Amino acid sequence: MIDAHCHVEMFKGNAGEVVEESRKHLKAVVDSITEYRKFHVWKSWELLRPHFGFVHPTLGYAPNEARRGNWEKVERVGAFIREHAGEIVALGEIGLDFYYAKTEEERRNQRGIFHHFLSLAAELDLPVVLHARDAEREVFEETQRAGVRAYFHSYAGSVELAKEVAENGHIIGINTGIDFIPAVREAAEVLPLENIVVETDSPYMSPYKGKKNYPWNVDYAVRRIAELREMEFEEVERVTERNAVGFFGLKL
């Protein structure tokens, strides 16, 4: 199995232990190293670098940070991405989150910074990892205009849009919140399996109430997809793993 989207750096001092335990269960994890207010990409990079090879990094700028409109930080993160463009498997996560961005100024900031990083991804010929919340249609249309390959992580939009995303060759992440987010479950039921990857978004989205999520819990998403579609666990595991390897170009 492969966890296609997690944040091991958020375990801080326990990150190494989480990686070593993950090795016992998974073939790889894709860690979305993303600029947040308390998690700077350059610090997260140094924390996880000893584990690269099993941990496959992306680099991005979170929409909830983007709403602040700090272009000095944007330029610094952009320079860091350029510096490490040959070492990352995608640019992201980036996107729009209108659940948290309530004002027009915050949404304008998010849009400007999202467009900035979409353009950078196109320039560097990198796929993108997308965060879209209450803005799925806009994120999809902007991604189409940019002409980049996309992974809609933890997708929770409409089934109709999910099908359109898949028809245009993008992939969608089904996360371990599959049993408490109806939109995730609906997408898992109807999308072509060839357009699905599985993810934890750990330490968030735990399938076990009151507990932190961990990368190895990705087996929960595989099992539930298999049950919903009346398929064998091993087949869902095989196809979603192949999809992750193909999208990110993972060298396992």
Side-chain angles (χ1 to χ4, degrees), residues 230-250:
E230 299 182 346
M231 298 177 65
E232 294 296 322
F233 178 98
E234 291 77 13
E235 178 65 6
V236 174
E237 177 186 29
R238 182 185 67 81
V239 176
T240 56
E241 182 179 298
R242 182 188 66 199
N243 297 342
V245 169
F247 179 81
F248 290 113
L250 302 183

Side-chain angles (χ1 to χ4, degrees), residues 26 75 86 149 151 159 187 192 229:
L26 307 173
E75 294 300 332
R149 294 178 299 128
Y151 164 24
V159 167
R229 300 172 76 110

Side-chain angles (χ1 to χ4, degrees), residues 85-104:
E87 302 169 76
I88 59 177
V89 295
L91 194 156
E93 60 191 87
I94 56 173
L96 302 175
D97 190 325
F98 290 167
Y99 179 83
Y100 287 107
K102 300 294 188 184
T103 69
E104 280 306 311

Side-chain angles (χ1 to χ4, degrees), residues 213-224:
N213 205 6
Y214 294 93
W216 54 87
N217 287 339
V218 75
D219 70 339
Y220 188 96
V222 176
R223 184 172 72 254
R224 290 296 291 125

Side-chain angles (χ1 to χ4, degrees), residues 96-170:
L96 302 175
D97 190 325
F98 290 167
Y99 179 83
Y100 287 107
K102 300 294 188 184
T103 69
E104 280 306 311
E105 180 182 6
E106 288 179 330
R107 293 184 177 188
R108 186 166 56 250
N109 288 339
Q110 279 193 357
R111 286 183 173 113
I113 292 170
F114 177 41
H115 295 164
H116 176 82
F117 284 111
L118 272 181
S119 298
L120 181 58
E123 176 191 336
L124 297 174
D125 193 26
L126 286 168
V128 293
V129 178
L130 298 174
H131 174 120
R133 190 176 187 188
D134 292 351
E136 288 86 0
R137 168 62 64 179
E138 184 172 340
V139 167
F140 170 65
E141 291 177 352
E142 290 301 319
T143 302
Q144 287 294 95
R145 278 192 279 271
V148 294
R149 294 178 299 128
Y151 164 24
F152 285 72
H153 114 81
S154 290
Y155 181 84
S158 71
V159 167
E160 292 74 24
L161 180 58
K163 291 177 179 177
E164 194 174 346
V165 167
E167 287 167 2
N168 281 275
H170 306 299

Side-chain angles (χ1 to χ4, degrees), residues 9 33-34 39-49:
E9 67 278 5
I33 299 175
T34 306
F39 293 91
H40 300 303
V41 293
W42 39 91
K43 292 183 179 179
S44 298
W45 183 271
E46 289 305 313
L47 178 66
L48 295 180
R49 186 166 61 170

